[in-house]
Amino acid sequence: MDIMRPLLTQLESVLMPPKWSIPAPPGILLPLAHIPTALLLPLVLAVLLLGSIAFILLLRRRTAAERTALQDRIAEYDEQFQALVAASNDWIWQVDADMKVTYSSPQIINILGYTPQETIGTTPFDYMPPEEAARMQAIVRDAVGRKQPFRKLENCIIAKDGRKVFIEANGMPLLDEQGRLKGYRGVNRDITAQRLAENASDEYRRRMESL
C-alpha cells in the first residue's frame, strides 16, 4: 500500500495548497499523512468519486444550458421563417425523395384553392393535366437523378375550381450528411396573368399578320 503515498502527496497538495499550509512542528505529521495506509485507497477513491460526480453535474448543467440556447435559436429561426412565409405571395413547398408533399405554405389557398393539409402526401403531378404531368416528371426525374436544382421551370396546374394556373417553379435538393437525397424545397410563383397577357399578345399579332 506504500504506492498510495505519492497519491497522498498529490491529494494533500490539492486539499492544502502551500499558501494555506501551516508548517507542522518537528515530529508532528500533517493530518493526511497521519491517516493509516489501509484507509488511503478508500479515501482517494472517495475523493475521485466526488470529483467525478461534481464534474458530471457541471457538464449536465452546461449541456442543459447549451440545449436551451439551441432551442431558443431554433425557435427564433422558425419565427423568422414563418414571418417571411406570411409576407410572401409565393407558394413555398417541400417534398420528400418520392416527390410527396411534406409542407405547403398557406399561400397555396390563394393560388390553387387547396389548403396546405389537402396537399400533404400528394405529388405536384397529381394537379397537372396528364400530358403536362408526363412532361414535368421527365424533367424532374433528370434533376433528381443528378441531385441538381431546377429554376424557372414553367408548368400548368389545375386549381381546385378547375381553372388552369401557370406556375414558375424553383427547387433546391435536400441532402443528408451522406449526400443522399432527402427531397426538395422550393418556391412556386403564380405567373398566370403574365402568361395570359403573352398569349393575348401573340393572338393579336397573328390576327394582325393575317390581315
Side-chain angles (χ1 to χ4, degrees):
M1 299 297 293
D2 289 339
I3 61 175
M4 298 305 301
R5 290 297 175 181
L7 292 177
L8 173 62
T9 302
Q10 296 180 7
L11 183 61
E12 184 178 82
S13 66
V14 172
L15 297 179
M16 300 182 64
K19 64 179 180 178
W20 295 342
S21 300
I22 301 176
I28 299 179
L29 297 177
L30 292 174
L32 289 177
H34 191 63
I35 297 176
T37 303
L39 298 179
L40 290 179
L41 180 59
L43 176 62
V44 171
L45 292 178
V47 172
L48 293 177
L49 178 60
L50 290 175
S52 299
I53 293 175
F55 176 76
I56 292 173
L57 291 176
L58 179 62
L59 183 61
R60 285 183 176 178
R61 181 179 302 175
R62 180 179 178 182
T63 302
E66 292 176 347
R67 188 184 302 114
T68 300
L70 178 59
Q71 291 174 345
D72 291 342
R73 287 197 296 270
I74 292 175
E76 181 181 354
Y77 293 151
D78 183 67
E79 183 178 350
Q80 293 175 353
F81 173 74
Q82 294 300 331
L84 290 174
V85 169
S88 173
N89 293 323
D90 297 332
W91 166 23
I92 300 174
W93 52 265
Q94 183 170 320
V95 297
D96 61 17
D98 296 323
M99 290 295 125
K100 292 184 178 181
V101 177
T102 59
Y103 173 80
S104 282
S105 67
Q107 281 72 14
I108 190 176
I109 300 176
N110 299 328
I111 297 176
L112 296 180
Y114 293 99
T115 65
Q117 291 74 19
E118 288 179 296
T119 64
I120 301 301
T122 65
T123 72
F125 316 115
D126 295 335
Y127 305 93
M128 301 177 184
E131 300 81 4
E132 182 72 348
R135 182 183 74 88
M136 289 297 298
Q137 283 177 329
I139 296 174
V140 172
R141 189 182 302 115
D142 179 66
V144 169
R146 295 183 291 113
K147 302 176 185 178
Q148 294 294 317
F150 51 84
R151 298 181 178 88
K152 296 185 176 181
L153 187 58
E154 296 188 11
N155 57 92
C156 178
I157 295 179
I158 304 300
K160 193 172 185 178
D161 58 7
R163 59 190 171 85
K164 289 185 177 181
V165 178
F166 294 94
I167 295 293
E168 181 183 85
N170 297 274
M172 293 294 295
L174 301 175
L175 307 178
D176 63 15
E177 295 179 353
Q178 286 73 39
R180 295 173 297 195
L181 183 69
K182 297 193 302 179
Y184 274 78
R185 179 183 297 139
V187 177
N188 283 1
R189 175 167 297 173
D190 184 358
I191 59 171
T192 304
Q194 175 183 340
R195 175 59 70 85
L196 292 178
E198 292 175 352
N199 291 344
S201 177
D202 292 341
E203 179 65 20
Y204 176 77
R205 186 181 301 108
R206 285 194 296 269
R207 289 182 178 181
M208 293 300 293
E209 290 175 352
S210 63
L211 294 179

